[in-house]
Amino acid sequence: MGWFDERGGLDGTVAVITGGAGALGRGSALDLAANGVRVAVLDLDADAGEDLRGALADQGYDALIRHGDARDPEVLAALFDAVDARWGRLDTLVNVVGGTFRAPFTETGPKGWDALLRTNFLHVLHACHAAVPRIRAGGRGGSIVNISTIEAHRAAPGFAVYAAAKAAVEQFARTLAVELAPDGIRVNNIAPDFVPTPTLARLAGGDEGMGHPEGARIAIPMGRAGRASDVSGCVVFLASALSEFVTGTTLHPDGGTHASAGWFNWPDSGWANHVPARYL
């Protein structure tokens, strides 16, 4: 047994991942499974779920894959019941489900707001409400991890309600972390910036600058776009005992964009928080 295996304590544990078949969820499911975690995944994309099922089975991992909408409390309840029946324990919950669309706030309405809140905030409440009693019953402590976004920490023109919902997730996590701390249950968030995924490609609307290497070099201090593995590595850390004294906080696998706060590394000009005159 290696150092991480011994210290991490993940082998034989059970994790539920909502939205676990998309790019970020899939990476988290595979990386957790590679460390001995038995994963239960719920995703709305049936094809992605089947693809993940095959990938996990090919490597001999014990997993449960369900097709359904994590925003539906009854669907969530059925998933947790299936986990109870199959493994009789729960140690980790990873909430990945999220989504948005671009529009000025004044051009949106209650129907769109409700959809954004259900997708990005309310499902987290439902999942945590189902998971906490199960994790607590094990008496071993555990971990809840929410995939948030850098937009919870800065203005996001065109994404006002989405950003507000993700900020609500982070504040909810802080309070829940304090409430559950006596049980040894940690609650944390992961707030990435730009990680190329099919969802982000749709939001780009054909703007190639989002994924262009030079655009990433200018906007992201570490000079590249994020990768799914940047996020899944944080998930593994927060699920493991290596983070047993970490709760109520947010990890930022964003290459430094949260820290830079509007400073850009302009070609031939260096760092500036404004557009250099030669570009005007």
Side-chain angles (χ1 to χ4, degrees):
M1 178 180 290
W3 180 91
F4 183 83
D5 294 328
E6 184 176 349
R7 294 283 296 275
L10 287 172
D11 190 39
T13 63
V14 173
V16 164
I17 308 175
T18 65
L24 299 185
R26 176 190 174 89
S28 298
L30 289 170
D31 283 358
L32 287 170
N35 284 282
V37 180
R38 294 166 288 182
V39 295
V41 170
L42 177 66
D43 202 282
L44 192 58
D45 187 333
D47 291 338
E50 286 305 309
D51 186 67
L52 176 60
R53 187 196 308 277
L56 290 164
D58 287 346
Q59 298 180 65
Y61 299 141
D62 190 6
L64 177 65
I65 309 296
R66 287 289 183 96
H67 169 230
D69 191 342
R71 297 169 297 181
D72 184 334
E74 293 185 1
V75 172
L76 269 179
L79 173 69
F80 282 100
D81 287 344
V83 170
D84 292 341
R86 183 154 180 169
W87 295 306
R89 65 182 286 173
L90 180 63
D91 305 273
T92 301
L93 168 67
V94 183
N95 291 310
V96 183
V97 172
T100 188
F101 55 86
R102 182 195 299 268
F105 174 71
T106 54
E107 296 179 12
T108 63
K111 184 177 179 180
W113 309 337
D114 289 346
L116 287 169
L117 291 173
R118 288 182 63 231
T119 300
N120 295 288
F121 178 51
L122 295 180
H123 92 274
V124 173
L125 304 187
H126 291 302
C128 289
H129 196 261
V132 168
R134 290 171 164 87
I135 299 175
R136 181 182 278 151
R140 297 174 294 268
S143 178
I144 295 173
V145 182
N146 304 308
I147 304 300
S148 177
T149 172
I150 194 173
E151 313 307 348
H153 300 267
R154 66 185 184 188
F159 303 100
V161 178
Y162 168 73
K166 290 298 191 180
V169 167
E170 297 213 5
Q171 183 58 30
F172 167 69
R174 292 184 189 97
T175 299
L176 190 62
V178 174
E179 292 184 4
L180 299 181
D183 298 299
I185 301 173
R186 297 144 9 242
V187 188
N188 294 287
N189 309 297
I190 299 171
D193 190 358
F194 178 60
V195 180
T197 64
T199 298
L200 275 184
R202 289 193 295 271
L203 287 176
D207 182 0
E208 296 180 358
M210 287 186 71
H212 192 283
E214 186 66 8
R217 192 194 70 77
I218 294 170
I220 301 173
M222 294 192 76
R224 67 164 174 85
R227 305 181 182 115
S229 59
D230 297 322
V231 177
S232 63
C234 292
V235 171
V236 172
F237 166 69
L238 291 175
S240 78
L242 295 178
S243 64
E244 65 181 358
F245 209 51
V246 178
T247 196
T249 195
T250 298
L251 301 185
H252 291 271
D254 60 13
T257 54
H258 181 248
S260 64
W263 286 80
F264 297 95
N265 190 10
W266 297 97
D268 304 320
S269 299
W271 296 97
N273 63 352
H274 59 277
V275 178
R278 66 190 185 86
Y279 289 104
L280 299 176

